Amino acid sequence: MLTAEGMEHRVNGTAEPREVVPWSRVMELGIRTTTRAWMATRGGTALQWAAQSNHLDMGRDACSVHALVRHPYDDWYARYSHHEQRYPAVHTYLVIELFRAVSEAKLTHRLGDAEWLGAVVEQVAPLPYRRSSVARIREIISAVVV
């Protein structure tokens, strides 16, 4: 969960977070996601292995957030639960590129600002599944001031 303080790593069904990573520690941030919930299961892992392809983003880690954090420097990651609904491929593409652009712009702390994030997502959501959308996402995150 993204909060104003940082990223919370929660275990389903528990009230307290397992871990909180403050935004001040986050240097780089990325996300992996799938279009369907079953793709992030062990069955998805088996299918990826059977297909002998690294181009399919499946398996238990297919829905995860990963970060390079400082003090101490370390790789951090947390799996998250995929909603039961199917996501269009364009939305998974856009969220991955949004996380990448926010990370490159050194604005990861803005992900905890619900108002700013909502304004950005409102403009990013209608973009098409094209490379030109990456440049547009960068423009949007640098232009949105809330």
Side-chain angles (χ1 to χ4, degrees):
M1 177 184 292
L2 305 176
T3 68
E5 292 77 35
M7 293 185 296
E8 291 183 356
H9 183 188
R10 292 182 174 262
V11 176
N12 286 344
T14 60
E16 294 299 313
R18 177 178 173 186
E19 179 182 16
V20 178
V21 178
W23 291 117
S24 60
R25 289 191 63 208
V26 177
M27 296 172 55
E28 293 177 12
L29 185 63
I31 189 170
R32 291 178 63 195
T33 191
T34 63
T35 56
R36 293 182 170 90
W38 67 264
M39 297 169 85
T41 64
R42 289 184 179 157
T45 304
L47 184 60
Q48 182 177 21
W49 180 82
Q52 297 289 311
S53 173
N54 289 333
H55 292 76
L56 301 171
D57 206 1
M58 292 192 211
R60 294 183 64 213
D61 293 331
C63 286
S64 60
V65 176
H66 44 91
L68 174 62
V69 296
R70 63 171 72 92
H71 307 301
Y73 290 93
D74 199 7
D75 291 317
W76 177 91
Y77 98 104
R79 292 183 186 135
Y80 64 89
S81 299
H82 193 292
H83 293 138
E84 291 302 316
Q85 73 185 33
R86 179 187 174 279
Y87 295 120
V90 65
H91 289 171
T92 60
Y93 172 74
L94 292 173
V95 76
I96 290 167
E97 292 303 328
L98 174 62
F99 266 61
R100 182 176 291 136
V102 167
S103 181
E104 288 173 358
K106 308 289 188 225
L107 295 173
T108 54
H109 63 282
R110 297 301 302 263
L111 293 172
D113 180 345
E115 193 175 339
W116 180 86
L117 186 58
V120 169
V121 168
E122 188 176 304
Q123 293 181 53
V124 169
L127 294 176
Y129 194 161
R130 294 193 192 125
R131 269 188 237 179
S132 59
S133 295
V134 175
R136 182 69 186 120
I137 290 169
R138 289 185 182 132
E139 291 171 9
I140 290 168
I141 64 167
S142 62
V144 172
V145 179
V146 175

